[in-house]
Amino acid sequence: MSKTTTRWIGRMAAGAGLTLAVQATAWADWALNMPRGVTAISNEVYGLHMLIFGIVVAIAVVVFGAMIWSIFHHRKSRGVEPAKFTHSTKVEIIWTVIPIAILVAMAVPAADTLIRMEDTRNSDMTVQVTGYQWKWHYDYIEEDIRFFSNLSEESNRARQLNSGIDVRTVENYLLDVDRPLVVPVGAKVRLLLTSNDVIHSWWVPDFGGKKDAIPGFINEFWFQAEETGLFRGQCAELCGRDHAFMPVVVEVLPVDEFNAWLEANSPDAEATPAVAREVLEAAPSVAAPAGDTAEETAAAPAQAADAADAWNMDTAMDQGRDLHVRHCAACHQADGSGLAAAGFPALAGTSVGLEEHIDVSLDGRSGTAMAAFGPQLSDEELAAIITYQRNAWGNDTGDLVTPADIAAAR
Protein backbone atom coordinates (compact mmCIF):
# COMPACT_ATOMS: atom_id res chain seq x y z
CA MET A 1 0.00 0.00 0.00
CA SER A 2 1.42 3.36 -1.01
CA LYS A 3 2.14 6.17 1.48
CA THR A 4 -0.59 8.34 -0.09
CA THR A 5 -3.20 5.60 0.34
CA THR A 6 -2.12 5.05 3.93
CA ARG A 7 -2.35 8.80 4.63
CA TRP A 8 -5.90 9.00 3.21
CA ILE A 9 -7.07 5.99 5.19
CA GLY A 10 -5.61 7.53 8.33
CA ARG A 11 -7.44 10.80 7.72
CA MET A 12 -10.74 8.99 7.12
CA ALA A 13 -10.33 6.93 10.29
CA ALA A 14 -9.60 10.09 12.30
CA GLY A 15 -12.68 11.79 10.87
CA ALA A 16 -14.88 8.79 11.62
CA GLY A 17 -13.55 8.65 15.17
CA LEU A 18 -14.28 12.34 15.73
CA THR A 19 -17.79 11.93 14.33
CA LEU A 20 -18.54 8.96 16.55
CA ALA A 21 -17.19 10.81 19.59
CA VAL A 22 -19.51 13.78 18.93
CA GLN A 23 -22.49 11.54 18.24
CA ALA A 24 -21.89 9.47 21.36
CA THR A 25 -22.35 12.64 23.42
CA ALA A 26 -25.48 13.64 21.50
CA TRP A 27 -27.03 10.17 21.74
CA ALA A 28 -26.86 10.31 25.52
CA ASP A 29 -29.99 12.55 25.36
CA TRP A 30 -31.41 11.54 21.99
CA ALA A 31 -32.45 7.93 21.42
CA LEU A 32 -32.57 7.16 17.71
CA ASN A 33 -33.44 3.50 17.71
CA MET A 34 -36.94 2.00 17.90
CA PRO A 35 -38.20 0.89 21.34
CA ARG A 36 -38.07 -2.75 22.41
CA GLY A 37 -41.66 -2.60 23.65
CA VAL A 38 -43.48 -4.66 26.24
CA THR A 39 -44.83 -7.55 24.17
CA ALA A 40 -43.17 -10.66 22.76
CA ILE A 41 -44.04 -9.49 19.25
CA SER A 42 -42.52 -6.04 19.80
CA ASN A 43 -39.30 -7.68 21.02
CA GLU A 44 -39.27 -9.94 17.97
CA VAL A 45 -39.78 -6.91 15.73
CA TYR A 46 -36.91 -5.16 17.51
CA GLY A 47 -34.67 -8.21 17.08
CA LEU A 48 -35.67 -8.43 13.42
CA HIS A 49 -34.94 -4.75 12.97
CA MET A 50 -31.47 -5.13 14.49
CA LEU A 51 -30.76 -8.24 12.39
CA ILE A 52 -31.67 -6.46 9.15
CA PHE A 53 -29.75 -3.39 10.28
CA GLY A 54 -26.65 -5.51 10.91
CA ILE A 55 -26.91 -7.18 7.51
CA VAL A 56 -27.32 -3.82 5.79
CA VAL A 57 -24.33 -2.37 7.62
CA ALA A 58 -22.19 -5.40 6.72
CA ILE A 59 -23.18 -5.10 3.05
CA ALA A 60 -22.40 -1.38 3.11
CA VAL A 61 -18.98 -1.97 4.67
CA VAL A 62 -18.06 -4.66 2.11
CA VAL A 63 -19.37 -2.81 -0.95
CA PHE A 64 -18.16 0.68 -0.09
CA GLY A 65 -14.89 -0.71 1.32
CA ALA A 66 -14.20 -2.48 -2.01
CA MET A 67 -15.15 0.66 -3.95
CA ILE A 68 -12.95 2.95 -1.86
CA TRP A 69 -10.01 0.54 -1.98
CA SER A 70 -10.39 0.17 -5.76
CA ILE A 71 -10.61 3.92 -6.34
CA PHE A 72 -7.38 4.57 -4.48
CA HIS A 73 -5.51 1.46 -5.53
CA HIS A 74 -6.33 1.72 -9.24
CA ARG A 75 -6.20 5.49 -9.65
CA LYS A 76 -4.74 6.97 -12.81
CA SER A 77 -1.79 8.63 -11.01
CA ARG A 78 -0.38 5.20 -10.23
CA GLY A 79 -0.36 4.33 -13.92
CA VAL A 80 -2.87 1.51 -13.59
CA GLU A 81 -4.33 0.39 -16.88
CA PRO A 82 -8.10 -0.32 -16.95
CA ALA A 83 -9.24 -3.89 -17.60
CA LYS A 84 -10.53 -4.57 -21.11
CA PHE A 85 -13.08 -7.36 -20.42
CA THR A 86 -16.78 -6.73 -21.20
CA HIS A 87 -18.46 -9.81 -19.79
CA SER A 88 -17.88 -12.31 -16.98
CA THR A 89 -20.36 -15.14 -16.44
CA LYS A 90 -18.75 -16.04 -13.15
CA VAL A 91 -19.16 -12.51 -11.75
CA GLU A 92 -22.78 -12.27 -12.89
CA ILE A 93 -23.61 -15.57 -11.19
CA ILE A 94 -21.95 -14.39 -7.98
CA TRP A 95 -23.71 -11.03 -7.83
CA THR A 96 -27.04 -12.74 -8.54
CA VAL A 97 -26.76 -15.64 -6.10
CA ILE A 98 -25.42 -13.64 -3.15
CA PRO A 99 -28.28 -11.04 -3.06
CA ILE A 100 -30.87 -13.81 -3.41
CA ALA A 101 -29.32 -15.69 -0.50
CA ILE A 102 -29.32 -12.51 1.58
CA LEU A 103 -32.98 -11.75 0.78
CA VAL A 104 -34.04 -15.31 1.66
CA ALA A 105 -32.12 -15.10 4.93
CA MET A 106 -34.02 -11.90 5.80
CA ALA A 107 -37.42 -13.07 4.51
CA VAL A 108 -37.65 -16.25 6.59
CA PRO A 109 -37.63 -14.65 10.07
CA ALA A 110 -39.65 -11.65 8.80
CA ALA A 111 -42.41 -13.89 7.41
CA ASP A 112 -42.48 -15.93 10.61
CA THR A 113 -42.99 -12.77 12.69
CA LEU A 114 -45.61 -11.35 10.31
CA ILE A 115 -47.65 -14.57 10.40
CA ARG A 116 -47.75 -14.54 14.20
CA MET A 117 -48.63 -10.82 14.23
CA GLU A 118 -51.77 -11.65 12.25
CA ASP A 119 -52.76 -14.68 14.34
CA THR A 120 -55.63 -13.48 16.54
CA ARG A 121 -56.75 -16.96 17.58
CA ASN A 122 -57.12 -17.96 21.22
CA SER A 123 -57.52 -14.42 22.46
CA ASP A 124 -58.59 -13.86 26.06
CA MET A 125 -60.74 -10.79 25.44
CA THR A 126 -62.03 -8.73 22.52
CA VAL A 127 -62.46 -4.97 22.28
CA GLN A 128 -64.07 -3.22 19.33
CA VAL A 129 -62.22 -0.01 18.53
CA THR A 130 -63.99 2.62 16.42
CA GLY A 131 -62.20 5.71 15.18
CA TYR A 132 -63.96 9.05 15.13
CA GLN A 133 -62.66 12.49 14.20
CA TRP A 134 -60.87 12.83 16.64
CA LYS A 135 -61.40 10.31 19.38
CA TRP A 136 -61.55 6.56 19.93
CA HIS A 137 -64.51 4.50 21.09
CA TYR A 138 -63.84 1.28 22.98
CA ASP A 139 -66.44 -1.48 23.32
CA TYR A 140 -65.60 -4.43 25.56
CA ILE A 141 -67.79 -6.87 23.70
CA GLU A 142 -68.02 -9.62 26.32
CA GLU A 143 -68.49 -7.18 29.17
CA ASP A 144 -70.99 -4.62 27.82
CA ILE A 145 -68.61 -1.80 28.73
CA ARG A 146 -68.10 1.01 26.25
CA PHE A 147 -66.83 4.57 26.32
CA PHE A 148 -65.16 7.30 24.29
CA SER A 149 -61.50 8.18 24.78
CA ASN A 150 -60.90 11.88 24.09
CA LEU A 151 -57.84 14.09 24.18
CA SER A 152 -57.30 15.14 27.80
CA GLU A 153 -58.85 18.42 28.85
CA GLU A 154 -55.44 19.90 29.79
CA SER A 155 -54.00 19.27 26.34
CA ASN A 156 -57.22 20.31 24.63
CA ARG A 157 -57.29 23.68 26.38
CA ALA A 158 -53.57 24.31 25.84
CA ARG A 159 -53.75 23.62 22.10
CA GLN A 160 -56.45 26.21 21.44
CA LEU A 161 -55.43 29.30 19.53
CA ASN A 162 -54.53 32.15 21.88
CA SER A 163 -55.04 29.90 24.91
CA GLY A 164 -52.19 31.60 26.76
CA ILE A 165 -51.08 28.22 28.14
CA ASP A 166 -47.45 27.22 27.72
CA VAL A 167 -47.72 23.71 26.29
CA ARG A 168 -44.38 22.84 27.89
CA THR A 169 -46.11 23.03 31.26
CA VAL A 170 -48.69 20.40 30.26
CA GLU A 171 -47.60 16.90 31.18
CA ASN A 172 -47.83 14.47 28.25
CA TYR A 173 -49.07 17.24 25.98
CA LEU A 174 -51.17 15.74 23.14
CA LEU A 175 -50.33 12.26 24.44
CA ASP A 176 -52.94 11.93 27.17
CA VAL A 177 -56.65 11.09 27.15
CA ASP A 178 -59.54 11.37 29.56
CA ARG A 179 -60.21 7.61 29.58
CA PRO A 180 -57.57 5.09 28.49
CA LEU A 181 -58.20 1.58 27.22
CA VAL A 182 -57.75 -0.70 30.24
CA VAL A 183 -56.50 -4.27 29.86
CA PRO A 184 -54.96 -6.90 32.17
CA VAL A 185 -51.29 -7.79 32.01
CA GLY A 186 -50.58 -11.10 30.33
CA ALA A 187 -53.93 -11.34 28.52
CA LYS A 188 -54.07 -11.71 24.75
CA VAL A 189 -56.24 -8.76 23.73
CA ARG A 190 -57.92 -8.91 20.33
CA LEU A 191 -58.97 -5.61 18.78
CA LEU A 192 -61.62 -5.28 16.08
CA LEU A 193 -60.92 -1.99 14.35
CA THR A 194 -63.25 0.09 12.22
CA SER A 195 -64.06 3.76 11.70
CA ASN A 196 -67.14 5.95 11.72
CA ASP A 197 -65.84 8.57 9.28
CA VAL A 198 -62.35 8.54 7.73
CA ILE A 199 -59.38 6.18 7.85
CA HIS A 200 -57.59 6.14 11.19
CA SER A 201 -54.78 3.92 12.44
CA TRP A 202 -54.48 2.60 16.01
CA TRP A 203 -50.82 2.56 17.01
CA VAL A 204 -48.96 2.02 20.27
CA PRO A 205 -45.21 1.61 19.55
CA ASP A 206 -44.58 -0.42 22.71
CA PHE A 207 -46.97 -3.10 21.42
CA GLY A 208 -45.02 -3.60 18.21
CA GLY A 209 -47.63 -2.94 15.57
CA LYS A 210 -50.48 -0.83 14.28
CA LYS A 211 -53.62 -1.40 12.27
CA ASP A 212 -55.83 0.79 10.12
CA ALA A 213 -59.44 1.53 11.12
CA ILE A 214 -61.38 1.84 7.85
CA PRO A 215 -65.07 2.75 7.45
CA GLY A 216 -67.10 -0.31 6.41
CA PHE A 217 -64.31 -2.77 7.20
CA ILE A 218 -63.24 -4.72 10.28
CA ASN A 219 -59.51 -5.22 10.77
CA GLU A 220 -58.01 -7.34 13.52
CA PHE A 221 -55.01 -6.69 15.72
CA TRP A 222 -53.79 -8.23 18.94
CA PHE A 223 -51.28 -7.58 21.67
CA GLN A 224 -50.25 -9.23 24.92
CA ALA A 225 -48.57 -6.83 27.31
CA GLU A 226 -46.01 -8.39 29.62
CA GLU A 227 -45.60 -5.33 31.85
CA THR A 228 -48.01 -3.09 33.69
CA GLY A 229 -48.11 0.66 33.15
CA LEU A 230 -49.38 3.38 30.84
CA PHE A 231 -48.42 3.04 27.18
CA ARG A 232 -48.98 5.86 24.74
CA GLY A 233 -49.40 6.10 21.03
CA GLN A 234 -51.21 8.12 18.39
CA CYS A 235 -53.33 7.76 15.33
CA ALA A 236 -50.81 6.86 12.63
CA GLU A 237 -52.99 7.88 9.69
CA LEU A 238 -53.34 11.42 8.38
CA CYS A 239 -57.03 11.50 9.28
CA GLY A 240 -57.83 15.18 9.04
CA ARG A 241 -56.98 18.64 10.21
CA ASP A 242 -56.75 17.68 13.88
CA HIS A 243 -54.98 14.40 13.29
CA ALA A 244 -52.29 15.37 15.78
CA PHE A 245 -54.85 15.53 18.59
CA MET A 246 -55.93 11.89 18.55
CA PRO A 247 -53.71 10.03 21.04
CA VAL A 248 -54.01 6.41 22.11
CA VAL A 249 -53.40 5.49 25.74
CA VAL A 250 -53.55 1.95 27.11
CA GLU A 251 -53.40 1.21 30.83
CA VAL A 252 -52.15 -2.28 31.60
CA LEU A 253 -53.19 -3.31 35.10
CA PRO A 254 -52.30 -6.24 37.33
CA VAL A 255 -54.89 -8.98 37.06
CA ASP A 256 -56.60 -8.28 40.37
CA GLU A 257 -56.81 -4.54 39.71
CA PHE A 258 -58.27 -5.14 36.26
CA ASN A 259 -60.81 -7.50 37.80
CA ALA A 260 -61.83 -4.73 40.18
CA TRP A 261 -62.00 -2.22 37.31
CA LEU A 262 -64.32 -4.53 35.40
CA GLU A 263 -66.61 -4.97 38.36
CA ALA A 264 -66.70 -1.24 39.02
CA ASN A 265 -67.51 -0.42 35.41
CA SER A 266 -69.88 -3.26 34.63
CA PRO A 267 -73.53 -2.17 34.18
CA ASP A 268 -74.45 -5.22 36.25
CA ALA A 269 -72.16 -5.18 39.24
CA GLU A 270 -73.55 -8.51 40.42
CA ALA A 271 -72.52 -10.30 37.26
CA THR A 272 -69.23 -12.09 37.06
CA PRO A 273 -67.21 -10.52 34.21
CA ALA A 274 -66.52 -12.91 31.37
CA VAL A 275 -62.87 -11.92 31.23
CA ALA A 276 -62.62 -12.52 34.93
CA ARG A 277 -63.98 -16.00 34.37
CA GLU A 278 -61.84 -16.89 31.40
CA VAL A 279 -58.63 -15.00 31.96
CA LEU A 280 -58.49 -14.08 35.59
CA GLU A 281 -59.76 -17.25 37.16
CA ALA A 282 -56.94 -17.51 39.59
CA ALA A 283 -56.91 -13.83 40.49
CA PRO A 284 -57.87 -12.88 44.03
CA SER A 285 -60.90 -10.66 44.29
CA VAL A 286 -60.44 -7.21 45.78
CA ALA A 287 -62.77 -4.46 46.70
CA ALA A 288 -63.90 -2.44 43.71
CA PRO A 289 -62.52 1.10 43.72
CA ALA A 290 -64.53 4.13 42.92
CA GLY A 291 -64.59 4.64 39.17
CA ASP A 292 -66.38 6.04 36.20
CA THR A 293 -69.66 4.72 34.93
CA ALA A 294 -69.71 1.90 32.40
CA GLU A 295 -71.48 3.76 29.64
CA GLU A 296 -70.51 7.36 29.21
CA THR A 297 -73.28 8.16 26.82
CA ALA A 298 -76.14 6.24 28.39
CA ALA A 299 -78.21 7.44 31.31
CA ALA A 300 -80.57 5.31 33.31
CA PRO A 301 -84.22 6.38 33.13
CA ALA A 302 -84.27 7.39 36.76
CA GLN A 303 -81.16 9.51 36.32
CA ALA A 304 -82.68 11.14 33.26
CA ALA A 305 -85.80 12.00 35.22
CA ASP A 306 -83.78 13.52 38.03
CA ALA A 307 -81.69 15.47 35.54
CA ALA A 308 -84.82 16.80 33.85
CA ASP A 309 -86.12 18.07 37.17
CA ALA A 310 -82.87 19.89 37.86
CA TRP A 311 -82.35 21.19 34.34
CA ASN A 312 -81.97 24.96 34.09
CA MET A 313 -79.87 27.54 32.27
CA ASP A 314 -77.04 27.54 34.83
CA THR A 315 -76.75 23.75 34.79
CA ALA A 316 -76.81 23.59 31.00
CA MET A 317 -74.22 26.36 30.61
CA ASP A 318 -71.85 24.80 33.15
CA GLN A 319 -71.99 21.39 31.50
CA GLY A 320 -72.08 22.81 27.98
CA ARG A 321 -68.87 24.80 28.43
CA ASP A 322 -66.78 21.72 29.23
CA LEU A 323 -68.53 19.57 26.64
CA HIS A 324 -68.00 22.19 23.94
CA VAL A 325 -64.26 22.26 24.64
CA ARG A 326 -64.11 18.47 24.59
CA HIS A 327 -66.21 17.75 21.50
CA CYS A 328 -66.54 20.93 19.42
CA ALA A 329 -63.54 23.18 20.05
CA ALA A 330 -61.37 21.16 17.68
CA CYS A 331 -63.17 22.82 14.75
CA HIS A 332 -65.12 25.75 16.14
CA GLN A 333 -62.51 26.80 18.73
CA ALA A 334 -63.10 27.29 22.45
CA ASP A 335 -64.19 30.90 21.90
CA GLY A 336 -66.57 29.98 19.07
CA SER A 337 -64.56 31.92 16.51
CA GLY A 338 -64.24 28.93 14.16
CA LEU A 339 -61.66 28.50 11.42
CA ALA A 340 -63.23 29.91 8.27
CA ALA A 341 -60.18 29.14 6.14
CA ALA A 342 -60.51 25.47 7.03
CA GLY A 343 -64.28 25.39 6.46
CA PHE A 344 -65.33 25.54 10.12
CA PRO A 345 -67.78 28.44 10.61
CA ALA A 346 -67.86 30.64 13.68
CA LEU A 347 -70.53 29.88 16.25
CA ALA A 348 -70.14 33.27 17.89
CA GLY A 349 -72.71 35.55 16.30
CA THR A 350 -74.42 32.64 14.54
CA SER A 351 -77.82 33.21 12.98
CA VAL A 352 -78.66 29.50 12.73
CA GLY A 353 -82.14 28.73 14.01
CA LEU A 354 -82.65 26.48 16.99
CA GLU A 355 -84.27 23.65 15.04
CA GLU A 356 -81.50 23.60 12.46
CA HIS A 357 -78.89 23.78 15.22
CA ILE A 358 -80.34 20.67 16.87
CA ASP A 359 -80.67 18.80 13.57
CA VAL A 360 -77.08 19.53 12.51
CA SER A 361 -75.75 18.52 15.93
CA LEU A 362 -77.64 15.24 15.77
CA ASP A 363 -77.09 14.26 12.15
CA GLY A 364 -74.08 16.28 11.00
CA ARG A 365 -73.97 18.23 7.78
CA SER A 366 -73.52 16.34 4.52
CA GLY A 367 -70.53 17.35 2.44
CA THR A 368 -68.70 18.94 5.35
CA ALA A 369 -66.52 17.76 8.24
CA MET A 370 -69.42 18.29 10.65
CA ALA A 371 -69.89 14.89 12.29
CA ALA A 372 -73.17 13.41 13.52
CA PHE A 373 -73.03 13.61 17.30
CA GLY A 374 -76.38 11.93 17.82
CA PRO A 375 -74.85 8.44 18.12
CA GLN A 376 -71.98 9.74 20.22
CA LEU A 377 -73.57 11.89 22.91
CA SER A 378 -76.52 11.57 25.25
CA ASP A 379 -79.61 13.79 25.12
CA GLU A 380 -78.40 15.70 28.17
CA GLU A 381 -74.94 16.28 26.71
CA LEU A 382 -76.32 17.55 23.41
CA ALA A 383 -78.84 19.77 25.20
CA ALA A 384 -76.05 21.28 27.29
CA ILE A 385 -73.76 21.88 24.32
CA ILE A 386 -76.43 23.52 22.15
CA THR A 387 -77.67 25.65 25.05
CA TYR A 388 -74.14 26.82 25.72
CA GLN A 389 -73.41 27.61 22.08
CA ARG A 390 -76.62 29.61 21.75
CA ASN A 391 -75.92 31.69 24.83
CA ALA A 392 -72.11 32.04 24.96
CA TRP A 393 -69.80 34.54 23.27
CA GLY A 394 -72.50 37.21 23.15
CA ASN A 395 -75.09 35.13 21.33
CA ASP A 396 -77.58 35.59 24.17
CA THR A 397 -80.53 33.92 22.42
CA GLY A 398 -82.01 32.84 25.72
CA ASP A 399 -82.71 29.38 24.27
CA LEU A 400 -82.70 26.65 26.90
CA VAL A 401 -82.57 23.25 25.19
CA THR A 402 -83.71 20.35 27.33
CA PRO A 403 -82.88 16.65 27.01
CA ALA A 404 -86.55 16.13 26.12
CA ASP A 405 -86.11 18.46 23.11
CA ILE A 406 -83.20 16.34 21.88
CA ALA A 407 -85.09 13.10 22.46
CA ALA A 408 -88.02 14.46 20.45
CA ALA A 409 -85.74 15.51 17.58
CA ARG A 410 -83.96 12.16 17.29
Side-chain angles (χ1 to χ4, degrees):
M1 185 177 296
S2 69
K3 292 183 179 178
T4 303
T5 302
T6 304
R7 200 160 45 244
W8 271 102
I9 292 177
R11 290 171 181 173
M12 293 173 63
L18 179 61
T19 302
L20 290 175
V22 172
Q23 289 184 341
T25 302
W27 288 347
D29 299 321
W30 187 26
L32 292 176
N33 208 352
M34 64 185 296
R36 285 183 176 274
V38 295
T39 66
I41 288 293
S42 67
N43 278 276
E44 285 186 36
V45 171
Y46 179 85
L48 190 62
H49 158 73
M50 295 307 296
L51 171 65
I52 303 300
F53 179 73
I55 293 174
V56 170
V57 169
I59 292 173
V61 169
V62 171
V63 172
F64 287 102
M67 289 175 60
I68 293 171
W69 180 85
S70 298
I71 290 171
F72 280 94
H73 189 72
H74 299 98
R75 65 187 184 276
K76 185 177 180 180
S77 61
R78 295 190 63 197
V80 177
E81 292 292 330
K84 303 295 184 184
F85 68 88
T86 59
H87 178 78
S88 174
T89 301
K90 182 183 297 183
V91 171
E92 288 188 357
I93 291 174
I94 291 173
W95 72 33
T96 300
V97 171
I98 291 179
I100 289 176
I102 293 173
L103 289 175
V104 171
M106 292 191 295
V108 170
D112 180 61
T113 300
L114 284 172
I115 290 172
R116 277 186 289 108
M117 288 176 72
E118 298 297 327
D119 185 3
T120 59
R121 295 173 298 176
N122 303 319
S123 59
D124 297 313
M125 60 182 291
T126 300
V127 180
Q128 178 175 319
V129 181
T130 305
Y132 288 77
Q133 288 182 315
W134 290 269
K135 67 196 78 172
W136 297 100
H137 184 262
Y138 298 114
D139 183 353
Y140 292 68
I141 293 177
E142 296 94 340
E143 308 301 337
D144 196 24
I145 296 175
R146 57 187 67 88
F147 55 84
F148 280 96
S149 180
N150 299 278
L151 179 68
S152 69
E153 185 174 341
E154 293 78 10
S155 290
N156 203 7
R157 291 189 181 280
R159 76 178 185 86
Q160 301 296 322
L161 293 175
N162 305 315
S163 67
I165 301 174
D166 184 353
V167 298
R168 292 170 296 185
T169 65
V170 179
E171 189 175 6
N172 297 313
Y173 177 61
L174 299 184
L175 290 174
D176 206 1
V177 297
D178 55 355
R179 296 195 67 180
L181 174 66
V182 180
V183 299
V185 65
K188 183 174 182 178
V189 182
R190 172 174 170 250
L191 302 183
L192 302 177
L193 296 116
T194 187
S195 172
N196 186 62
D197 36 51
V198 299
I199 298 177
H200 302 277
S201 188
W202 197 90
W203 177 45
V204 176
D206 283 311
F207 294 164
K210 61 182 177 181
K211 187 69 73 173
D212 283 352
I214 304 172
F217 291 85
I218 297 289
N219 282 333
E220 291 183 286
F221 176 73
W222 71 274
F223 63 89
Q224 190 169 17
E226 298 174 340
E227 298 178 12
T228 59
L230 273 176
F231 302 99
R232 305 180 190 279
Q234 292 172 297
C235 175
E237 189 72 42
L238 186 58
C239 58
R241 171 187 160 271
D242 279 352
H243 158 75
F245 310 127
M246 194 171 174
V248 178
V249 180
V250 179
E251 184 175 13
V252 181
L253 295 177
V255 172
D256 54 349
E257 292 183 20
F258 177 74
N259 191 16
W261 181 88
L262 275 182
E263 293 179 355
N265 288 274
S266 172
D268 182 5
E270 299 299 323
T272 302
V275 173
R277 291 195 303 270
E278 299 173 3
V279 185
L280 317 174
E281 189 174 358
S285 61
V286 297
D292 298 329
T293 59
E295 171 53 77
E296 189 178 58
T297 61
Q303 293 174 324
D306 293 342
D309 292 340
W311 196 253
N312 55 50
M313 183 63 80
D314 291 339
T315 301
M317 291 295 285
D318 286 343
Q319 295 184 19
R321 184 181 300 105
D322 292 338
L323 290 167
H324 171 83
V325 170
R326 180 182 301 175
H327 297 287
C328 309
C331 302
H332 298 289
Q333 301 299 291
D335 60 359
S337 59
L339 288 172
F344 304 121
L347 297 178
T350 180
S351 60
V352 174
L354 177 58
E355 186 176 349
E356 181 182 358
H357 198 154
I358 294 175
D359 289 343
V360 171
S361 299
L362 281 170
D363 303 324
R365 190 184 289 280
S366 179
T368 72
M370 178 63 195
F373 284 93
Q376 303 182 35
L377 303 178
S378 68
D379 295 345
E380 182 176 324
E381 289 171 323
L382 282 169
I385 289 175
I386 297 172
T387 297
Y388 175 74
Q389 293 173 344
R390 299 193 67 78
N391 293 281
W393 320 304
N395 288 341
D396 299 329
T397 63
D399 294 331
L400 174 61
V401 182
T402 67
D405 296 331
I406 302 300
R410 284 186 184 273

